[in-house]
PDB file of all heavy atoms in Angstrom:
ATOM      1  N   GLY L 216     -15.605  15.060   8.677  1.00  0.00           N
ATOM      2  CA  GLY L 216     -15.828  13.907   9.363  1.00  0.00           C
ATOM      3  C   GLY L 216     -17.293  13.797   9.991  1.00  0.00           C
ATOM      4  O   GLY L 216     -17.730  12.676  10.169  1.00  0.00           O
ATOM      5  N   MET L 217     -17.921  14.926  10.269  1.00  0.00           N
ATOM      6  CA  MET L 217     -19.211  14.852  11.037  1.00  0.00           C
ATOM      7  C   MET L 217     -20.422  14.612  10.049  1.00  0.00           C
ATOM      8  O   MET L 217     -21.424  14.299  10.497  1.00  0.00           O
ATOM      9  CB  MET L 217     -19.339  16.061  11.877  1.00  0.00           C
ATOM     10  CG  MET L 217     -18.434  16.117  13.080  1.00  0.00           C
ATOM     11  SD  MET L 217     -18.554  17.611  13.967  1.00  0.00           S
ATOM     12  CE  MET L 217     -17.576  17.248  15.372  1.00  0.00           C
ATOM     13  N   ASN L 218     -20.130  14.592   8.743  1.00  0.00           N
ATOM     14  CA  ASN L 218     -21.117  14.247   7.811  1.00  0.00           C
ATOM     15  C   ASN L 218     -21.419  12.818   7.685  1.00  0.00           C
ATOM     16  O   ASN L 218     -20.408  12.028   7.444  1.00  0.00           O
ATOM     17  CB  ASN L 218     -20.815  14.880   6.358  1.00  0.00           C
ATOM     18  CG  ASN L 218     -20.781  16.326   6.474  1.00  0.00           C
ATOM     19  OD1 ASN L 218     -21.517  17.021   7.252  1.00  0.00           O
ATOM     20  ND2 ASN L 218     -20.103  16.969   5.506  1.00  0.00           N
ATOM     21  N   HIS L 219     -22.653  12.273   7.879  1.00  0.00           N
ATOM     22  CA  HIS L 219     -22.998  10.803   7.663  1.00  0.00           C
ATOM     23  C   HIS L 219     -23.042  10.688   6.170  1.00  0.00           C
ATOM     24  O   HIS L 219     -24.087  11.102   5.611  1.00  0.00           O
ATOM     25  CB  HIS L 219     -24.187  10.458   8.377  1.00  0.00           C
ATOM     26  CG  HIS L 219     -24.463   9.162   8.362  1.00  0.00           C
ATOM     27  ND1 HIS L 219     -23.764   8.119   9.240  1.00  0.00           N
ATOM     28  CD2 HIS L 219     -25.297   8.363   7.648  1.00  0.00           C
ATOM     29  CE1 HIS L 219     -24.260   6.969   8.979  1.00  0.00           C
ATOM     30  NE2 HIS L 219     -25.195   7.043   8.098  1.00  0.00           N
ATOM     31  N   THR L 220     -22.113   9.983   5.539  1.00  0.00           N
ATOM     32  CA  THR L 220     -22.044   9.922   4.019  1.00  0.00           C
ATOM     33  C   THR L 220     -21.338   8.561   3.702  1.00  0.00           C
ATOM     34  O   THR L 220     -20.807   7.941   4.607  1.00  0.00           O
ATOM     35  CB  THR L 220     -21.430  11.165   3.440  1.00  0.00           C
ATOM     36  OG1 THR L 220     -21.630  11.035   2.024  1.00  0.00           O
ATOM     37  CG2 THR L 220     -19.987  11.220   3.751  1.00  0.00           C
ATOM     38  N   THR L 221     -21.409   8.284   2.341  1.00  0.00           N
ATOM     39  CA  THR L 221     -20.605   7.167   1.798  1.00  0.00           C
ATOM     40  C   THR L 221     -19.240   7.547   1.496  1.00  0.00           C
ATOM     41  O   THR L 221     -19.038   8.470   0.687  1.00  0.00           O
ATOM     42  CB  THR L 221     -21.369   6.517   0.581  1.00  0.00           C
ATOM     43  OG1 THR L 221     -22.713   6.204   1.051  1.00  0.00           O
ATOM     44  CG2 THR L 221     -20.582   5.299   0.143  1.00  0.00           C
ATOM     45  N   ARG L 222     -18.243   6.802   2.031  1.00  0.00           N
ATOM     46  CA  ARG L 222     -16.757   7.007   1.688  1.00  0.00           C
ATOM     47  C   ARG L 222     -16.435   5.957   0.656  1.00  0.00           C
ATOM     48  O   ARG L 222     -16.678   4.659   0.996  1.00  0.00           O
ATOM     49  CB  ARG L 222     -16.062   7.040   2.982  1.00  0.00           C
ATOM     50  CG  ARG L 222     -16.545   7.977   4.077  1.00  0.00           C
ATOM     51  CD  ARG L 222     -16.352   9.410   3.761  1.00  0.00           C
ATOM     52  NE  ARG L 222     -16.731  10.113   4.778  1.00  0.00           N
ATOM     53  CZ  ARG L 222     -16.556  11.472   4.755  1.00  0.00           C
ATOM     54  NH1 ARG L 222     -16.133  12.097   3.725  1.00  0.00           N
ATOM     55  NH2 ARG L 222     -17.038  12.114   5.893  1.00  0.00           N
ATOM     56  N   ARG L 223     -15.790   6.251  -0.410  1.00  0.00           N
ATOM     57  CA  ARG L 223     -15.376   5.313  -1.392  1.00  0.00           C
ATOM     58  C   ARG L 223     -13.733   5.204  -1.231  1.00  0.00           C
ATOM     59  O   ARG L 223     -13.174   6.229  -1.425  1.00  0.00           O
ATOM     60  CB  ARG L 223     -15.750   5.889  -2.713  1.00  0.00           C
ATOM     61  CG  ARG L 223     -17.247   5.556  -3.106  1.00  0.00           C
ATOM     62  CD  ARG L 223     -17.495   6.096  -4.495  1.00  0.00           C
ATOM     63  NE  ARG L 223     -16.852   5.368  -5.614  1.00  0.00           N
ATOM     64  CZ  ARG L 223     -17.329   4.261  -6.208  1.00  0.00           C
ATOM     65  NH1 ARG L 223     -18.367   3.683  -5.766  1.00  0.00           N
ATOM     66  NH2 ARG L 223     -16.596   3.656  -7.140  1.00  0.00           N
ATOM     67  N   ILE L 224     -13.443   4.102  -0.778  1.00  0.00           N
ATOM     68  CA  ILE L 224     -11.904   3.858  -0.671  1.00  0.00           C
ATOM     69  C   ILE L 224     -11.457   2.914  -1.846  1.00  0.00           C
ATOM     70  O   ILE L 224     -11.877   1.797  -1.937  1.00  0.00           O
ATOM     71  CB  ILE L 224     -11.742   3.055   0.635  1.00  0.00           C
ATOM     72  CG1 ILE L 224     -12.330   3.819   1.867  1.00  0.00           C
ATOM     73  CG2 ILE L 224     -10.192   2.978   0.918  1.00  0.00           C
ATOM     74  CD1 ILE L 224     -12.293   3.097   3.122  1.00  0.00           C
ATOM     75  N   GLN L 225     -10.585   3.575  -2.646  1.00  0.00           N
ATOM     76  CA  GLN L 225     -10.013   2.798  -3.826  1.00  0.00           C
ATOM     77  C   GLN L 225      -8.898   1.981  -3.349  1.00  0.00           C
ATOM     78  O   GLN L 225      -8.033   2.495  -2.699  1.00  0.00           O
ATOM     79  CB  GLN L 225      -9.489   3.847  -4.740  1.00  0.00           C
ATOM     80  CG  GLN L 225      -8.829   3.245  -5.990  1.00  0.00           C
ATOM     81  CD  GLN L 225      -9.832   2.630  -6.918  1.00  0.00           C
ATOM     82  OE1 GLN L 225     -10.827   3.224  -7.402  1.00  0.00           O
ATOM     83  NE2 GLN L 225      -9.568   1.326  -7.306  1.00  0.00           N
ATOM     84  N   LEU L 226      -8.882   0.734  -3.454  1.00  0.00           N
ATOM     85  CA  LEU L 226      -7.898  -0.256  -3.119  1.00  0.00           C
ATOM     86  C   LEU L 226      -6.926  -0.356  -4.247  1.00  0.00           C
ATOM     87  O   LEU L 226      -7.234  -0.141  -5.456  1.00  0.00           O
ATOM     88  CB  LEU L 226      -8.431  -1.640  -2.697  1.00  0.00           C
ATOM     89  CG  LEU L 226      -8.941  -1.634  -1.205  1.00  0.00           C
ATOM     90  CD1 LEU L 226     -10.094  -0.653  -0.970  1.00  0.00           C
ATOM     91  CD2 LEU L 226      -9.444  -2.946  -0.858  1.00  0.00           C
ATOM     92  N   GLN L 227      -5.676  -0.803  -3.989  1.00  0.00           N
ATOM     93  CA  GLN L 227      -4.743  -1.144  -4.990  1.00  0.00           C
ATOM     94  C   GLN L 227      -5.133  -2.176  -5.818  1.00  0.00           C
ATOM     95  O   GLN L 227      -5.936  -3.200  -5.456  1.00  0.00           O
ATOM     96  CB  GLN L 227      -3.517  -1.587  -4.276  1.00  0.00           C
ATOM     97  CG  GLN L 227      -2.745  -0.494  -3.526  1.00  0.00           C
ATOM     98  CD  GLN L 227      -2.170   0.516  -4.465  1.00  0.00           C
ATOM     99  OE1 GLN L 227      -1.354   0.216  -5.337  1.00  0.00           O
ATOM    100  NE2 GLN L 227      -2.451   1.754  -4.159  1.00  0.00           N
ATOM    101  N   THR L 228      -4.901  -2.125  -7.184  1.00  0.00           N
ATOM    102  CA  THR L 228      -5.087  -3.143  -8.184  1.00  0.00           C
ATOM    103  C   THR L 228      -4.578  -4.485  -7.681  1.00  0.00           C
ATOM    104  O   THR L 228      -3.540  -4.706  -7.104  1.00  0.00           O
ATOM    105  CB  THR L 228      -4.421  -2.773  -9.376  1.00  0.00           C
ATOM    106  OG1 THR L 228      -5.023  -1.465  -9.763  1.00  0.00           O
ATOM    107  CG2 THR L 228      -4.808  -3.696 -10.530  1.00  0.00           C
ATOM    108  N   THR L 229      -5.475  -5.565  -7.871  1.00  0.00           N
ATOM    109  CA  THR L 229      -5.052  -6.916  -7.305  1.00  0.00           C
ATOM    110  C   THR L 229      -5.286  -8.062  -8.599  1.00  0.00           C
ATOM    111  O   THR L 229      -6.185  -7.655  -9.412  1.00  0.00           O
ATOM    112  CB  THR L 229      -5.913  -7.161  -6.124  1.00  0.00           C
ATOM    113  OG1 THR L 229      -5.286  -8.386  -5.583  1.00  0.00           O
ATOM    114  CG2 THR L 229      -7.326  -7.461  -6.427  1.00  0.00           C
ATOM    115  N   CYS L 230      -4.588  -8.966  -8.320  1.00  0.00           N
ATOM    116  CA  CYS L 230      -4.826 -10.184  -9.330  1.00  0.00           C
ATOM    117  C   CYS L 230      -4.579 -11.350  -8.276  1.00  0.00           C
ATOM    118  O   CYS L 230      -3.408 -11.653  -7.964  1.00  0.00           O
ATOM    119  CB  CYS L 230      -3.817 -10.196 -10.444  1.00  0.00           C
ATOM    120  SG  CYS L 230      -3.975 -11.625 -11.540  1.00  0.00           S
ATOM    121  N   ILE L 231      -5.698 -12.091  -8.046  1.00  0.00           N
ATOM    122  CA  ILE L 231      -5.493 -13.159  -7.052  1.00  0.00           C
ATOM    123  C   ILE L 231      -6.625 -14.214  -7.225  1.00  0.00           C
ATOM    124  O   ILE L 231      -7.758 -13.888  -7.684  1.00  0.00           O
ATOM    125  CB  ILE L 231      -5.545 -12.662  -5.553  1.00  0.00           C
ATOM    126  CG1 ILE L 231      -5.230 -13.719  -4.548  1.00  0.00           C
ATOM    127  CG2 ILE L 231      -6.958 -11.964  -5.410  1.00  0.00           C
ATOM    128  CD1 ILE L 231      -5.088 -13.085  -3.131  1.00  0.00           C
ATOM    129  N   ARG L 232      -6.238 -15.519  -6.899  1.00  0.00           N
ATOM    130  CA  ARG L 232      -7.279 -16.462  -6.849  1.00  0.00           C
ATOM    131  C   ARG L 232      -7.419 -16.867  -5.366  1.00  0.00           C
ATOM    132  O   ARG L 232      -6.429 -17.304  -4.721  1.00  0.00           O
ATOM    133  CB  ARG L 232      -6.789 -17.722  -7.677  1.00  0.00           C
ATOM    134  CG  ARG L 232      -7.825 -18.866  -7.542  1.00  0.00           C
ATOM    135  CD  ARG L 232      -7.417 -20.083  -8.165  1.00  0.00           C
ATOM    136  NE  ARG L 232      -6.208 -20.781  -7.550  1.00  0.00           N
ATOM    137  CZ  ARG L 232      -6.333 -21.634  -6.577  1.00  0.00           C
ATOM    138  NH1 ARG L 232      -7.434 -22.039  -6.038  1.00  0.00           N
ATOM    139  NH2 ARG L 232      -5.209 -22.102  -6.079  1.00  0.00           N
ATOM    140  N   ILE L 233      -8.679 -16.803  -4.846  1.00  0.00           N
ATOM    141  CA  ILE L 233      -8.763 -17.110  -3.338  1.00  0.00           C
ATOM    142  C   ILE L 233      -9.562 -18.488  -3.557  1.00  0.00           C
ATOM    143  O   ILE L 233     -10.724 -18.729  -4.232  1.00  0.00           O
ATOM    144  CB  ILE L 233      -9.772 -16.198  -2.805  1.00  0.00           C
ATOM    145  CG1 ILE L 233      -9.019 -14.868  -2.667  1.00  0.00           C
ATOM    146  CG2 ILE L 233     -10.090 -16.621  -1.320  1.00  0.00           C
ATOM    147  CD1 ILE L 233      -9.807 -13.673  -2.072  1.00  0.00           C
ATOM    148  N   PRO L 234      -8.859 -19.610  -2.967  1.00  0.00           N
ATOM    149  CA  PRO L 234      -9.411 -20.892  -3.229  1.00  0.00           C
ATOM    150  C   PRO L 234     -10.684 -21.177  -2.422  1.00  0.00           C
ATOM    151  O   PRO L 234     -10.844 -20.646  -1.287  1.00  0.00           O
ATOM    152  CB  PRO L 234      -8.308 -21.737  -2.737  1.00  0.00           C
ATOM    153  CG  PRO L 234      -7.475 -21.121  -1.858  1.00  0.00           C
ATOM    154  CD  PRO L 234      -7.675 -19.633  -2.320  1.00  0.00           C
ATOM    155  N   GLN L 235     -11.313 -22.144  -2.924  1.00  0.00           N
ATOM    156  CA  GLN L 235     -12.633 -22.708  -2.207  1.00  0.00           C
ATOM    157  C   GLN L 235     -12.241 -23.041  -0.771  1.00  0.00           C
ATOM    158  O   GLN L 235     -11.177 -23.643  -0.607  1.00  0.00           O
ATOM    159  CB  GLN L 235     -13.172 -23.940  -3.015  1.00  0.00           C
ATOM    160  CG  GLN L 235     -14.350 -24.583  -2.431  1.00  0.00           C
ATOM    161  CD  GLN L 235     -14.725 -25.868  -3.039  1.00  0.00           C
ATOM    162  OE1 GLN L 235     -14.348 -26.019  -4.275  1.00  0.00           O
ATOM    163  NE2 GLN L 235     -15.460 -26.691  -2.460  1.00  0.00           N
ATOM    164  N   GLY L 236     -12.977 -22.737   0.149  1.00  0.00           N
ATOM    165  CA  GLY L 236     -12.902 -23.083   1.491  1.00  0.00           C
ATOM    166  C   GLY L 236     -12.194 -21.982   2.332  1.00  0.00           C
ATOM    167  O   GLY L 236     -12.294 -21.883   3.566  1.00  0.00           O
ATOM    168  N   ASN L 237     -11.499 -21.003   1.602  1.00  0.00           N
ATOM    169  CA  ASN L 237     -10.987 -19.828   2.312  1.00  0.00           C
ATOM    170  C   ASN L 237     -12.118 -18.890   2.378  1.00  0.00           C
ATOM    171  O   ASN L 237     -13.151 -18.960   1.682  1.00  0.00           O
ATOM    172  CB  ASN L 237      -9.928 -19.342   1.409  1.00  0.00           C
ATOM    173  CG  ASN L 237      -8.559 -20.017   1.703  1.00  0.00           C
ATOM    174  OD1 ASN L 237      -8.536 -21.154   2.405  1.00  0.00           O
ATOM    175  ND2 ASN L 237      -7.512 -19.529   1.294  1.00  0.00           N
ATOM    176  N   SER L 238     -12.068 -17.772   3.205  1.00  0.00           N
ATOM    177  CA  SER L 238     -13.006 -16.659   3.238  1.00  0.00           C
ATOM    178  C   SER L 238     -12.297 -15.391   2.937  1.00  0.00           C
ATOM    179  O   SER L 238     -11.221 -15.251   3.034  1.00  0.00           O
ATOM    180  CB  SER L 238     -13.436 -16.616   4.843  1.00  0.00           C
ATOM    181  OG  SER L 238     -14.208 -17.814   5.170  1.00  0.00           O
ATOM    182  N   LEU L 239     -13.136 -14.419   2.686  1.00  0.00           N
ATOM    183  CA  LEU L 239     -12.805 -13.139   2.302  1.00  0.00           C
ATOM    184  C   LEU L 239     -13.054 -12.228   3.576  1.00  0.00           C
ATOM    185  O   LEU L 239     -14.057 -12.401   4.208  1.00  0.00           O
ATOM    186  CB  LEU L 239     -13.519 -12.521   1.092  1.00  0.00           C
ATOM    187  CG  LEU L 239     -13.131 -11.299   0.509  1.00  0.00           C
ATOM    188  CD1 LEU L 239     -11.814 -11.292  -0.056  1.00  0.00           C
ATOM    189  CD2 LEU L 239     -14.344 -10.692  -0.533  1.00  0.00           C
ATOM    190  N   ARG L 240     -12.040 -11.395   3.931  1.00  0.00           N
ATOM    191  CA  ARG L 240     -12.154 -10.444   4.921  1.00  0.00           C
ATOM    192  C   ARG L 240     -11.777  -9.053   4.707  1.00  0.00           C
ATOM    193  O   ARG L 240     -10.851  -8.781   4.004  1.00  0.00           O
ATOM    194  CB  ARG L 240     -11.318 -10.850   6.141  1.00  0.00           C
ATOM    195  CG  ARG L 240     -11.426  -9.952   7.401  1.00  0.00           C
ATOM    196  CD  ARG L 240     -10.538 -10.461   8.554  1.00  0.00           C
ATOM    197  NE  ARG L 240     -11.294 -11.529   9.159  1.00  0.00           N
ATOM    198  CZ  ARG L 240     -10.738 -12.213  10.195  1.00  0.00           C
ATOM    199  NH1 ARG L 240      -9.565 -11.867  10.762  1.00  0.00           N
ATOM    200  NH2 ARG L 240     -11.417 -13.220  10.729  1.00  0.00           N
ATOM    201  N   LEU L 241     -12.687  -8.087   5.263  1.00  0.00           N
ATOM    202  CA  LEU L 241     -12.437  -6.659   5.065  1.00  0.00           C
ATOM    203  C   LEU L 241     -12.072  -6.246   6.652  1.00  0.00           C
ATOM    204  O   LEU L 241     -12.873  -6.544   7.469  1.00  0.00           O
ATOM    205  CB  LEU L 241     -13.588  -5.893   4.653  1.00  0.00           C
ATOM    206  CG  LEU L 241     -13.406  -4.300   4.928  1.00  0.00           C
ATOM    207  CD1 LEU L 241     -12.320  -3.836   3.967  1.00  0.00           C
ATOM    208  CD2 LEU L 241     -14.808  -3.673   4.566  1.00  0.00           C
ATOM    209  N   SER L 242     -10.851  -5.706   6.754  1.00  0.00           N
ATOM    210  CA  SER L 242     -10.529  -5.031   8.063  1.00  0.00           C
ATOM    211  C   SER L 242     -10.554  -3.536   7.821  1.00  0.00           C
ATOM    212  O   SER L 242      -9.943  -3.023   7.012  1.00  0.00           O
ATOM    213  CB  SER L 242      -9.043  -5.545   8.489  1.00  0.00           C
ATOM    214  OG  SER L 242      -9.036  -6.901   8.387  1.00  0.00           O
TER     215      SER L 242
END
């Protein structure tokens, strides 16, 4: 944890259409 480094988080496979007007959010 104390190392300042890049963590790669693999997310679950997805298939989605995000329509115009909506926003994308990372939590």
Side-chain angles (χ1 to χ4, degrees):
M217 294 183 171
N218 292 334
H219 187 77
T220 188
T221 300
R222 308 292 181 175
R223 287 177 61 91
I224 307 171
Q225 177 74 51
L226 279 58
Q227 291 289 306
T228 301
T229 190
C230 179
I231 188 170
R232 177 186 68 87
I233 301 175
Q235 175 183 348
N237 286 7
S238 299
L239 185 67
R240 173 176 290 176
L241 170 68
S242 304

